[in-house]
Amino acid sequence: MGGATAGAAAEEASVFGLPPVDPARTAVYGEHPDQVVDFYLPPPGTDGAARPAPLVLLFHGGAWRAPYDRRHVSPFAAFLAGRGLAVASVEYRRGGADSARAGRWPETFDDIAAAVDTVPGLARGLGLPGIDPDRVVLTGHSAGGHAVLWAAARHRLPSGTPWHLASPSPHRGVVALAPIADLATARALDVCSGAVDELLQEEGGGGDDELTVRLGLADPAALLPTAIPTTVVQGGTDIVVPAAVADAFAEAAARAGQDVRLIRSDGGHFPPIDPTTPAAHTVAEEIARLAGAQTAP
């Protein structure tokens, strides 16, 4: 276990050691200071003209805790842009700035839904070059992987819930990276030190009945099938969000009649968002495949 822990620490250090990359443009999608999005644009063609590229809505991870924000995925966002994809890196409300708690109920979910619903139109309204907002792929890492799987399933929510959609969103697909995809399994494994329970409960906790209801609304594995092409990229040696979580989601999808593509990548939790690794190239290729685009070498 010591070797696995050391390897995981080295992978984390590699990602967090990369210098942040400034976006081409930052915009707001709501009134809260955390409701912002950074745009990374693909390079123009050899003739200097922008070519409309698929839009990747990227949600960062960090166990829904405030110290982890979108800056740590900015090198990955820039990497995807360099491969010919437009990227919108979304910030959203996590735990309070003065607290180690994970997430806020219901604000974290409010922001995920608002970003998915508004950012493609925002990109169109800003007139940003090199973006085709009609070809959207949702991508997220860890807690962000949960976000995109949940966002793709909102039409499966009860009609009385605030995030419900009447029909599936017209996204090209979902690529979830080491996602907290099955909340029941994540709770059983105490993923990220109780982060799931903190996400679903107000500070001070709540009753078991309330938690059960919220699990049913928040767990992507309980909201299948989605009818949206879905890929999960999971590191084989991940000790942060173990492979058992992705496996449980894939098994739930199979029972529900949905085919989920499960890609095993080398390494653990962080290589899928580390531009220096083969896993990140695999992710870019999978996003492009679902978007119907070609990536640059």
Side-chain angles (χ1 to χ4, degrees):
M1 185 66 177
T5 302
E11 290 174 349
E12 181 175 0
S14 179
V15 166
F16 284 91
L18 296 171
V21 180
D22 291 334
R25 178 76 178 268
T26 298
V28 301
Y29 67 89
E31 297 180 354
H32 190 276
D34 284 337
Q35 293 175 317
V36 295
V37 57
D38 291 336
F39 289 98
Y40 295 81
L41 305 179
T46 55
D47 60 357
R51 300 284 188 271
L55 178 61
V56 181
L57 288 188
L58 174 63
F59 287 79
H60 69 82
W64 305 287
R65 293 189 168 108
Y68 302 97
D69 62 23
R70 69 195 186 283
R71 285 176 295 182
H72 78 271
V73 295
S74 63
F76 178 63
F79 163 75
L80 293 178
R83 299 268 294 186
L85 299 163
V87 180
S89 182
V90 177
E91 194 57 270
Y92 54 94
R93 280 174 281 187
R94 289 96 59 221
D98 57 351
S99 169
R101 281 184 57 82
R104 306 186 208 181
W105 180 275
E107 291 88 351
T108 297
F109 294 88
D110 291 342
D111 289 358
I112 296 166
V116 170
D117 289 348
T118 62
V119 168
L122 180 62
R124 180 182 286 109
L126 291 171
L128 297 174
I131 294 181
D132 180 356
D134 293 322
R135 288 190 292 161
V136 176
V137 175
L138 305 180
T139 300
H141 176 246
S142 196
H146 165 271
V148 297
L149 292 171
W150 176 82
R154 288 167 53 204
H155 59 289
R156 302 282 300 168
L157 291 168
S159 59
T161 56
W163 313 297
H164 170 76
L165 295 177
S167 59
S169 296
H171 303 311
R172 293 295 180 93
V174 176
V175 181
L177 317 175
I180 307 178
D182 184 299
L183 297 190
T185 302
R187 292 182 74 217
L189 296 174
D190 195 30
V191 166
C192 299
S193 302
V196 172
D197 282 15
E198 291 177 6
L199 170 70
L200 300 179
Q201 295 176 317
E202 287 91 355
E203 197 154 1
D208 289 342
D209 290 345
E210 180 181 76
L211 181 60
T212 298
V213 170
R214 291 181 179 180
L215 276 167
L217 299 177
D219 189 353
L223 297 171
L224 294 162
T226 67
I228 296 175
T230 299
T231 297
V232 173
V233 179
Q234 176 66 45
T237 61
D238 194 338
I239 61 173
V240 179
V241 182
V245 178
D247 290 343
F249 176 79
E251 290 163 6
R255 290 193 299 270
Q258 177 166 348
D259 182 25
V260 169
R261 188 178 191 197
L262 181 56
I263 298 175
R264 304 284 187 187
S265 62
D266 292 336
H269 192 61
F270 292 99
I273 60 166
D274 185 340
T276 69
T277 68
H281 288 262
T282 297
V283 171
E285 290 163 3
E286 187 62 15
I287 293 170
R289 184 186 72 82
L290 290 178
Q294 292 184 338
T295 61

